[in-house]
Amino acid sequence: MRVRVLGTAAGGGSPQWNCACQQCGHARSSGTHRSQDSVAVSGNGSDWYLLNASPDIRTQILSTLELTPGPATRETPLRGVLLTDAELDHVLGLFQLREAATLDVYATAAVLGALDGPLPVRRVVDPYGRGWGWHAVTDEFELKGGLTVRPFPLGDKKPRYASDRDGDGWVVGYRIGDFVYAPCFAQWTDSLDEALDGARVALIDGTFLAADEMPDVKGHLSIHDSASHVACHPGVRFLYTHLNNTNPLLSGGFAYPVATEMEVL
Ligand code: MLT
Ligand code: MN
Ligand code: ZN
């Protein structure tokens, strides 16, 4: 199994276009940019799937040798996208993938409902392709290339644009082979502990270092608050991802491990 990190920043990226804070200023002047959270995985090196489709997806794909099209003119190794939630930083990239003739999108029923409701991605992109597959995930499922995927629940954080919608199952993580991807969770749950059991590498929510970093933003357990749970899984290599531009880890100098873009895990 191959795992390539494409983006490691939270919504807005680092630097954020309209932010003049010290960290964004430093990222801007030093050129140490981070793009928005996304990962590419493959079981065989030729069939690839994205975990979340960020607004930065075009440049992320152009920077990733494994996602180069060919040999036929419109042949691509990209087979699909697995969504962890319906947040804009994780789904807006679907619009940019509209040139794909076929693409399999996997998400929970709540997320698929949002993408056919207040953010009508399905209705917008479907006329461009030959018909994408939209798959509701519940239990374990298989991907081309020999990957087995197990979604697990991580809460009910709804995007602001879907705040009036009902239902549960808004956020999941994925266990794929020995890899765990969980970039959004408000609490450390038993489902996360179970998914981590026997895993080799885990990319987890590193939005905030401290809970009071952005008092008006909820839904992300801080790194300080997840640290004791992380310590219960000594056999797993943890890397923090989805870093918000307020997170001091972006400036370095902390012992917490941060995912590196383009790294193969
Ligand atoms: C989040 O992760 O909380 C959201 O992506 C916030 C946002 O919409 O920017
Ligand atoms: Mn986000
Ligand atoms: Zn900033």
Side-chain angles (χ1 to χ4, degrees):
M1 176 184 180
R2 300 281 305 278
V3 178
R4 189 180 274 277
V5 179
L6 303 185
T8 57
S14 170
Q16 182 169 303
W17 67 276
N18 63 342
C19 190
C21 78
Q22 190 263 329
Q23 292 215 127
C24 287
H26 180 258
R28 204 169 277 119
S29 60
S30 63
T32 50
H33 296 186
R34 283 180 185 263
S35 63
Q36 293 163 87
D37 173 45
S38 182
V39 176
V41 297
S42 176
N44 60 2
S46 49
D47 297 295
W48 285 85
Y49 291 83
L50 298 175
L51 308 181
N52 290 326
S54 96
D56 298 317
I57 197 60
R58 180 177 171 276
T59 45
Q60 290 169 336
I61 289 175
L62 294 182
S63 315
T64 306
L65 203 58
E66 295 91 330
L67 298 177
T68 306
T73 310
R74 288 292 167 88
E75 194 175 327
T76 167
L78 186 63
R79 304 282 171 258
V81 181
L82 284 62
L83 303 172
T84 57
D85 52 70
E87 298 290 343
L88 294 173
D89 57 340
H90 286 158
V91 304
L92 283 179
L94 291 172
F95 288 112
Q96 273 147 290
L97 296 174
R98 67 188 176 282
E99 292 90 356
T102 60
L103 200 71
D104 284 311
V105 180
Y106 300 84
T108 67
V111 170
L112 290 181
L115 301 186
D116 206 14
L119 185 71
V121 180
R122 290 178 67 162
R123 273 172 278 147
V124 172
V125 299
D126 272 342
Y128 291 84
R130 287 200 305 265
W132 289 13
W134 300 88
H135 310 278
V137 302
T138 47
D139 304 321
E140 199 168 275
F141 59 98
E142 307 284 326
L143 298 176
K144 285 181 186 138
L147 291 177
T148 301
V149 182
R150 181 156 55 88
F152 55 94
L154 282 178
D156 286 313
K157 179 182 189 291
K158 286 181 241 184
R160 286 190 215 180
Y161 71 81
S163 58
D164 59 353
R165 288 183 74 84
D166 300 327
D168 48 17
W170 283 91
V171 185
V172 292
Y174 292 105
R175 167 82 182 244
I176 309 174
D178 58 6
F179 173 65
V180 172
Y181 179 60
C184 177
F185 52 85
Q187 270 117 32
W188 196 282
T189 58
D190 290 346
S191 68
L192 183 51
D193 275 323
E194 281 162 29
L196 290 165
D197 191 29
R200 182 181 57 90
V201 188
L203 274 183
I204 65 165
D205 192 337
T207 310
F208 301 120
L209 176 62
D212 60 358
E213 219 169 283
M214 262 184 104
D216 53 332
V217 178
K218 305 269 175 266
H220 297 285
L221 189 68
S222 77
I223 292 173
H224 282 150
D225 291 326
S226 63
S228 62
H229 300 280
V230 163
C232 294
H233 297 273
V236 183
R237 180 184 176 206
F238 284 91
L239 295 166
Y240 288 101
T241 192
H242 192 269
L243 273 75
N244 195 56
N245 45 61
T246 52
N247 189 325
L249 263 61
L250 288 171
S251 297
F254 290 83
Y256 295 113
V258 176
T260 305
E261 296 188 1
M262 292 300 132
E263 188 178 4
V264 176
L265 300 175

